[in-house]
Amino acid sequence: SRGYRELAPVAGVSVGAVSGAIKRLRSRGVIIGTRPRLKDFDAALSTFELGYADRLRPRLQPARMTTGSQSMDELRERIGKAFAQHPEAELALSGELGAAVAGADLVASAATIHTSWPYRRLLAGLRLKPSVTGEVTLLRRIGPVDVSPVVGRPALANPILIRAELLVQGGERQLQAAHQLLELIPRP
């Protein structure tokens, strides 16, 4: 199917993986028809969020980093500069910092950055250092990254992805912000 071939590179998976996912969603009643149509948006969102935590996120090569003494605001500024200087890095904010920039009532103490670049190319420019307990998580980018309409502001990951990342983190603050992000997710 042409749609599967178009979806596969955006999702970063094979056409067979897209086909298998569509079959599973059909069997759960989330989508219907020969040309897949969404039947139940909330069920589809829940299915994605569970799949993100269990299957997709581990494949995005998570790497924990620390900012050292820089604040989240300083990190956000550095990400904005890096995005402006190297748009090919396709940086997108997610997690707490992404939610805060998107408008959730949350003071970020952690950040998730999606990128298509090798992580080592980002470390110096963002002043990050590897750390198993770091407050920054780097993940391989999935899906398109839109240029931010605000100059100097880094792009945001899709609100569905930001929400899924908050749910993975799972604290009370993150869960409240994830609930607030539901308003930013366009409904079909």
Side-chain angles (χ1 to χ4, degrees), residues 31-100:
I31 59 173
I32 57 173
T34 54
R35 293 198 58 178
R37 287 189 340 264
L38 194 57
K39 178 181 175 186
D40 183 344
F41 180 81
D42 292 330
L45 183 60
S46 293
T47 299
F48 173 79
E49 291 165 351
L50 290 171
Y52 177 79
D54 294 341
R55 299 185 76 186
L56 181 57
R57 191 176 191 274
R59 293 180 183 179
L60 300 179
Q61 303 165 347
R64 298 290 296 267
M65 304 287 160
T66 185
T67 61
S69 61
Q70 70 179 316
S71 70
M72 283 293 129
D73 287 337
E74 291 170 320
L75 177 63
R76 188 174 74 194
E77 272 185 41
R78 288 189 188 291
I79 294 168
K81 288 177 185 174
F83 187 83
Q85 292 171 350
H86 303 286
E88 69 276 13
E90 299 181 303
L91 300 172
L93 292 177
S94 184
E96 286 188 32
L97 189 55

Side-chain angles (χ1 to χ4, degrees), residues 115-135:
T115 181
S116 61
W117 260 13
Y119 298 158
R120 68 183 179 283
R121 292 191 67 185
L122 293 176
L123 299 183
L126 298 180
R127 294 189 182 165
L128 298 174
K129 295 179 182 174
S131 169
V132 293
T133 60
E135 64 279 8

